[in-house]
Amino acid sequence: PLALDTVYTIGGKNVGYMVYNSFLGDTLQTASRFQQVFGRFTAAGVADVIVDLRYNGGGYVTLQENLAGYLLPTSANGDV
């Protein structure tokens, strides 16, 4: 479901971009891919992330929560 991930440099800042087509599939495999992608984004000094969901038809809430965990600051842990 993770069709593309890359890092662009825009105005001197590194911006992570990912295309995510579905919140369906093997949840463990997708969670592992998220970890790889966001690890790469962190190593590249990415501070802003664009998540392209244009063709995403939905799926498992657990995968959405997993993705959101990478996008929210640590201070948001436990909040709705």
Side-chain angles (χ1 to χ4, degrees):
L2 191 55
L4 172 75
D5 65 275
T6 192
V7 176
Y8 294 103
T9 302
I10 302 171
K13 290 176 55 176
N14 288 342
V15 177
Y17 174 79
M18 62 186 285
V19 176
Y20 190 57
N21 289 330
S22 177
F23 287 101
L24 293 173
D26 184 326
T27 58
L28 294 177
Q29 183 180 33
T30 301
S32 176
R33 269 299 274 141
F34 283 156
Q35 186 176 25
Q36 291 170 354
V37 169
F38 283 97
R40 214 179 92 203
F41 286 174
T42 299
V46 167
D48 298 311
V49 177
I50 299 168
V51 181
D52 188 341
L53 299 172
R54 284 180 287 180
Y55 307 109
N56 191 306
Y60 302 125
V61 172
T62 55
L63 288 176
Q64 175 275 325
E65 290 172 340
N66 189 275
L67 175 59
Y70 286 102
L71 299 173
L72 296 170
T74 305
S75 61
N77 283 351
D79 290 345
V80 176

